Every structure is written in C-alpha cells, then in structure tokens.
Amino acid sequence: MLKTIFVDGDKGGVGKSLVSRALVDMYLHDPRQGGRKVVVFDADRSNPDVCGAGGYCMNVTDNNLVSTNLINLETESGWSEFGDTMEDYVDSEKDVRVVISMPAQIGPRAFDGSIPLVGEILRSVNAIPVWVMSRTQDCMNALENRRRTFPAHYEHGLIVKNLFFGATDKFTLWKESLLRQEIVDSGDWVEVDFPECNDILLHKIGRTPFQRVLNEGISGNRLGMGSRLSLETWRHEAWQALARVEDLPTGC
C-alpha cells in the first residue's frame, strides 16, 4: 500500500528536515519496517537538507531507496508535476512509503485553498500529515488553518513535539490548547516526542544520511565510541517515536 507522509510545520527551524531524514532512515534501516520501498521528495529548494548535495541523492546505495527528488510545491504546475511523478506508485501494489520534506511558510502559497489541485493530489497519494511542533502559537495557528482548508485530509495525523525546544512539559501552550483537545484527546491524531540530538554531532554530520555516518564516519574519519553511541541511541529513539505514523489511516 502507498502512504505519502508530508512533513510540515510552517515556520523555518522547527525541525522538518531532521524529522524527514529520520523518517527516511527509519523506513530504510529499521528492521521492524519490513524493507518497504522508499521515495523521497525535498520541497525545500532554498535549503534542501534532505535531498540536496551530500544528502539522500541517488548515489546513496540502498536497495529500498527507489528515487530522490527536488520538487516545487509552491505552484499549481509544481503539484501537477508531483502528481505525474507519483502516478506509478499510486497504481502499484507494492508497499511504498513516500516522505516529503515541506519548505517553511508554504501554507499561504499552497495550503490556502487557492490551488484546488492540492486536495485532489492529497487524496490520490494517500496523504498523512506529520506536523513538527514548536512551542509557539503561530505553529498551532498554521495547523488549524490547514485543518480548516482541507478538513478531510487533516482528520488524522502525527504531532511531533521537537524536544530541541525543551522538555515535553514545556509545551504549555500546546498542552492547554483547544486544538490539542480537538485532535489529540479525541484520538484522531497521535502525539509523540521527538528526541533532541547532540548539537555538535548534528553539525558535524550535516546532510549526510545517518547510516552512512555510522558506516563510514565523517569526512573519512570514523566516529568515536561516544559519538557513535550517541547517534545510535538518538536514532533508535527517533524510530520508536516516528513509527507511530504507521498507526494512522490515510486521508480521505
């Protein structure tokens, strides 16, 4: 079955790229995922940390990585091109997971209802929204705007609280919000904590896929035991959290 996971969060810097990379890593390397075929799109063309140079390009050797793509989802023609690219996967009986890293502030450009094609594409590709949550009211407002514009496609989803912004009990605005009551307390959306990773280690890794870092090191230098254990621990915690996306039904 095809599932297309849109990793969004509206504001820049909330962690969309890192969550996207962790999702791709999970589908490619977590044995519990059963070797699904994986397709990766990076719609953040100004800062393509997922599919840009050094990231998930097709020179990354993995039998389950079908394709990697940079794409523009800010215009109707971009969504049409995306639909054309997805046609083979929509019609396939293979178990495929598509991960799309969305750019900052795409809401006013693609999710305001002005491009009718967007809703049809979301339905056709079995979309599942993954919303990377910071601690700001703006982040919640952006998600609420998505839900108002595309209610059928935001009926279910995954809230990812990025613990880079503080421990889970620091997300006070979110915890006390009416939105959380409506979508999480109701059981329609699943909420998970995304673990914080060592800043220095992440900076050194850059865009390099995590498995490659563990296999080859950074710039040819093998990771020390502490760094390796830190990355492996964070990676498995991220897998455990993000695997909850598989519990969710696709959009209507």
Side-chain angles (χ1 to χ4, degrees):
M1 178 182 182
L2 170 68
K3 289 185 178 181
T4 302
I5 301 162
F6 285 81
V7 183
D8 200 358
D10 203 62
K11 293 288 186 180
V14 297
K16 296 183 294 295
S17 295
L18 185 59
V19 169
S20 299
R21 292 169 64 197
L23 271 166
V24 175
D25 182 58
M26 178 189 77
Y27 282 126
L28 289 176
H29 302 294
D30 184 350
R32 293 168 295 185
Q33 294 302 322
R36 294 184 174 96
K37 298 301 182 182
V38 181
V39 179
V40 188
F41 288 90
D42 196 334
D44 190 351
R45 296 174 302 141
S46 65
N47 189 29
D49 281 338
V50 180
C51 293
Y56 280 104
C57 307
M58 282 314 296
N59 61 355
V60 175
T61 303
D62 193 294
N63 291 334
N64 291 325
L65 184 61
V66 177
S67 69
T68 66
N69 314 267
L70 291 174
I71 195 163
N72 178 10
L73 294 180
E74 300 180 8
T75 65
E76 183 172 0
S77 60
W79 281 90
S80 179
E81 178 186 346
F82 170 62
D84 291 344
T85 305
M86 289 292 295
E87 186 171 4
D88 288 343
Y89 308 119
V90 170
D91 295 335
S92 173
E93 296 181 358
K94 294 180 180 178
D95 201 15
V96 178
R97 295 296 178 267
V98 178
V99 178
I100 304 176
S101 181
M102 303 297 282
Q105 297 290 342
I106 194 171
R109 301 192 295 274
F111 287 97
D112 62 354
S114 61
I115 306 177
L117 179 62
V118 172
E120 289 302 309
I121 293 290
L122 293 175
R123 178 188 59 77
S124 299
V125 301
N126 295 331
I128 299 176
V130 169
W131 191 263
V132 185
M133 181 67 67
S134 67
R135 290 164 52 187
T136 68
Q137 186 65 49
D138 285 348
C139 191
M140 290 180 272
N141 292 344
L143 176 56
E144 182 56 40
N145 288 337
R146 300 280 201 283
R147 292 180 66 240
R148 280 200 300 265
T149 308
F150 298 103
H153 307 293
Y154 283 80
E155 184 177 354
H156 304 281
L158 187 72
I159 294 291
V160 177
K161 289 187 297 181
N162 188 353
L163 299 190
F164 171 81
F165 296 103
T168 188
D169 61 355
K170 299 296 184 182
F171 285 72
T172 307
L173 283 175
W174 167 243
K175 182 179 179 181
E176 298 178 354
S177 68
L178 179 60
L179 177 60
R180 186 181 186 278
Q181 293 177 32
E182 291 176 350
I183 67 175
V184 174
D185 291 350
S186 67
D188 292 332
W189 284 59
V190 173
E191 178 183 313
V192 299
D193 291 343
F194 185 73
E196 182 181 10
C197 189
N198 182 291
D199 284 353
I200 296 175
L201 181 58
L202 274 183
H203 177 72
K204 290 179 179 178
I205 291 172
R207 293 173 175 170
T208 309
F210 307 123
Q211 183 69 34
R212 183 191 290 179
V213 172
L214 291 169
N215 289 344
E216 304 174 11
I218 300 172
S219 300
N221 298 315
R222 180 178 170 83
L223 290 183
M225 183 179 70
S227 295
R228 184 179 183 87
L229 290 174
S230 177
L231 178 57
E232 287 181 337
T233 300
W234 172 82
R235 186 187 188 205
H236 285 85
E237 289 177 352
W239 287 358
Q240 184 175 359
L242 296 176
R244 295 293 307 279
V245 75
E246 286 295 316
D247 298 337
L248 296 165
T250 58
C252 298

